[in-house]
Amino acid sequence: MMLALEMFRSVPRTVAGKAIGSRMPGILSGYAAPLRLMTIAEPKVDRPGWARLKTRLSGICGSDLGMLSGKTSLYFSAVVSLPFVPGHEVVAELLDDCEDLPAGTRVVVDPVLTCAARGVEACAACSTGATNRCERITVGHLAPGLQTGFCKDTGGGWGQQLTAHRSQLHPVPEGFSDEQAILIEPLACAVHTALRAGVTTNDRVLVSGAGSVGLFATLALRHLTGAGEIIVVAKHGHQKELAREFGATEVVAPSEVLRRVRRSTGAFQLEPQYSAPYLLGGVDVAIDAVGSKQSLETALHATRAGGRVVLSGMPAAADLSAAWFRELEVVGTYASAQAEESFRIATELAATDAVQQLAKNVASYPLHRWREALDHAHSAGRLGTVKVAFDPRSTR
């Protein structure tokens, strides 16, 4: 048996979180959270290539908070299996030998549960390495689940143990702290975002949001593309400093975005009645790294006709008139593709000075203090924290 946080089906709590969670964030770590601390059986998948892992750290990301607050679209209800243990950003220690990896190896987990993990013939996407587009995430010998941390059979990082397939495991280099390693998976997602954005030499890029998603996207854009000017939208003072360290040319407040882009590009700003202003002209590529209605509309309204808007944060509903009128390419970017290469590059980025310094600011909590942890994660931007994580080994 083990201790774990378990998400369960509760219509009243989900409705309450959806209705008032944005106005009263504290309720999302209280009554309205469909989450409970439980003693449950250790997960185990008795199939070749699977092994048990002991969790060392597991991050709390925006999609986790959206799920608990009821903000996540019901579109995803078909690709999860309740009850499940959340936690898809995981650094762990192997408890069993797993093919070429001996027990005791420290690993980070690529959470996507692909055809290889499910024991089925590779679909067209998995065959080409685009495992984040796997078409069989609801079949095979596992319960439905788009990722570890959303599947009742595998467990997740918000528990003392989980189980994973060899195809998901990436060894952590010696010398990396657990706090540094926990950033590798979100960095791998940022690598995919930067490459999928299609940035060409000297393109002007806007990154809407300066949490971990936006900062890592900025870092990846600067290291992997020929982007010229990178303008990052940040709400808080510490985010502005970090964005510059991660490669931003300029950092602006949300209220300053259009004015700054207009000045840089020579665009015209229009003021529609009873609606937000927008530009005729603008940046070549915009990345929404938050997923809120405001951040997405900022990206849409600041991008030139024929430009590209990349959805890096799980998107909320927004007015898509700009996408139609200005013939924008709206591109989704989910998880990481070409996993071996993405995680290799992400590991290199995790070794940079900027990320090493950021890793020193990771805040960790034991499972029994889960309410405090979620409160902290909801207020991370304001409190100056980029990543909050659970340490299931801790009892403090």
Side-chain angles (χ1 to χ4, degrees), residues 50 65 101 164 232 246 343:
W50 284 82
L65 297 177
L101 298 179
V232 176
F246 276 64
F343 273 77

Side-chain angles (χ1 to χ4, degrees), residues 210-211 215 233-244 251 381:
L215 291 173
V233 184
K235 293 175 65 175
H236 306 287
H238 77 284
Q239 292 178 334
K240 295 179 180 180
E241 296 175 9
L242 287 171
R244 291 189 180 93
V251 187

Side-chain angles (χ1 to χ4, degrees), residues 34 38 92 111 139 146 178 235 285 382:
M38 300 278 289
V139 298
L146 70 167
D178 287 340
K235 293 175 65 175
V285 177
R382 177 174 55 80

Side-chain angles (χ1 to χ4, degrees), residues 7 10-35 61-73 158 314 374 378:
M7 184 171 180
S10 173
V11 174
R13 295 190 185 204
T14 300
V15 170
K18 197 174 187 69
I20 60 177
S22 60
R23 299 192 300 275
M24 300 175 60
I27 200 170
L28 301 177
S29 55
Y31 168 77
L35 194 68
C61 87
S63 59
D64 297 320
L65 297 177
M67 168 188 69
L68 292 171
S69 66
K71 292 181 180 178
T72 301
S73 169
W158 296 8
M314 186 183 291
L374 293 181
H378 277 292

Side-chain angles (χ1 to χ4, degrees), residues 259-271:
R259 183 168 65 250
R260 173 60 185 85
V261 173
R262 182 185 63 189
R263 186 172 72 245
S264 174
T265 64
F268 292 97
Q269 181 168 325
L270 302 184
E271 303 280 347

Side-chain angles (χ1 to χ4, degrees), residues 284-301:
D284 302 293
V285 177
I287 295 174
D288 173 21
V290 178
S292 70
K293 180 177 182 291
Q294 180 184 7
S295 65
L296 178 52
E297 289 187 353
T298 294
L300 291 166
H301 292 180

Side-chain angles (χ1 to χ4, degrees), residues 27-273:
I27 200 170
L28 301 177
S29 55
Y31 168 77
L35 194 68
R36 56 196 176 196
L37 184 62
M38 300 278 289
T39 300
I40 61 174
E42 298 163 358
K44 187 174 183 181
V45 179
D46 290 317
R47 303 279 296 191
W50 284 82
R52 297 173 302 144
L53 289 77
K54 179 180 179 181
T55 307
R56 297 175 67 93
L57 279 181
S58 183
I60 303 172
C61 87
S63 59
D64 297 320
L65 297 177
M67 168 188 69
L68 292 171
S69 66
K71 292 181 180 178
T72 301
S73 169
L74 292 176
Y75 175 94
F76 295 101
S77 62
V79 290
V80 301
S81 47
L82 291 164
F84 60 76
V85 177
H88 60 275
E89 298 176 355
V90 183
V91 56
E93 180 182 323
L94 276 172
L95 293 174
D96 308 307
D97 294 339
C98 190
E99 297 183 0
D100 58 316
L101 298 179
T105 302
R106 197 165 47 126
V107 295
V108 290
V109 176
D110 176 0
V112 180
L113 293 169
T114 64
C115 292
R118 292 182 168 278
V120 297
E121 183 179 353
C123 65
C126 287
S127 295
T128 62
T131 50
N132 58 326
R133 301 179 185 176
C134 179
E135 298 169 359
R136 295 174 180 165
I137 52 176
T138 60
V139 298
H141 58 256
L142 296 176
L146 70 167
Q147 295 186 359
T148 297
F150 299 94
C151 173
K152 67 180 181 181
D153 289 343
T154 63
W158 296 8
Q160 292 175 318
Q161 286 189 30
L162 67 155
T163 185
H165 187 260
R166 175 63 185 89
S167 62
Q168 299 178 273
L169 305 179
H170 301 272
V172 176
E174 290 187 18
F176 270 44
S177 66
D178 287 340
E179 290 78 10
Q180 197 175 354
I182 199 63
L183 303 178
I184 292 176
E185 191 274 338
L187 279 165
C189 297
V191 168
H192 179 52
T193 294
L195 298 179
R196 184 132 167 81
V199 174
T200 59
T201 303
N202 292 324
D203 272 355
R204 288 189 175 95
V205 182
L206 176 72
V207 178
S208 183
S212 60
V213 175
L215 291 173
F216 293 163
T218 301
L219 182 71
L221 285 165
R222 189 54 80 199
H223 279 259
L224 303 177
T225 76
E229 188 176 41
I230 301 177
I231 302 170
V232 176
V233 184
K235 293 175 65 175
H236 306 287
H238 77 284
Q239 292 178 334
K240 295 179 180 180
E241 296 175 9
L242 287 171
R244 291 189 180 93
E245 292 175 10
F246 276 64
T249 309
E250 187 165 354
V251 187
V252 298
S255 61
E256 303 169 338
V257 178
L258 294 190
R259 183 168 65 250
R260 173 60 185 85
V261 173
R262 182 185 63 189
R263 186 172 72 245
S264 174
T265 64
F268 292 97
Q269 181 168 325
L270 302 184
E271 303 280 347
Q273 291 184 346

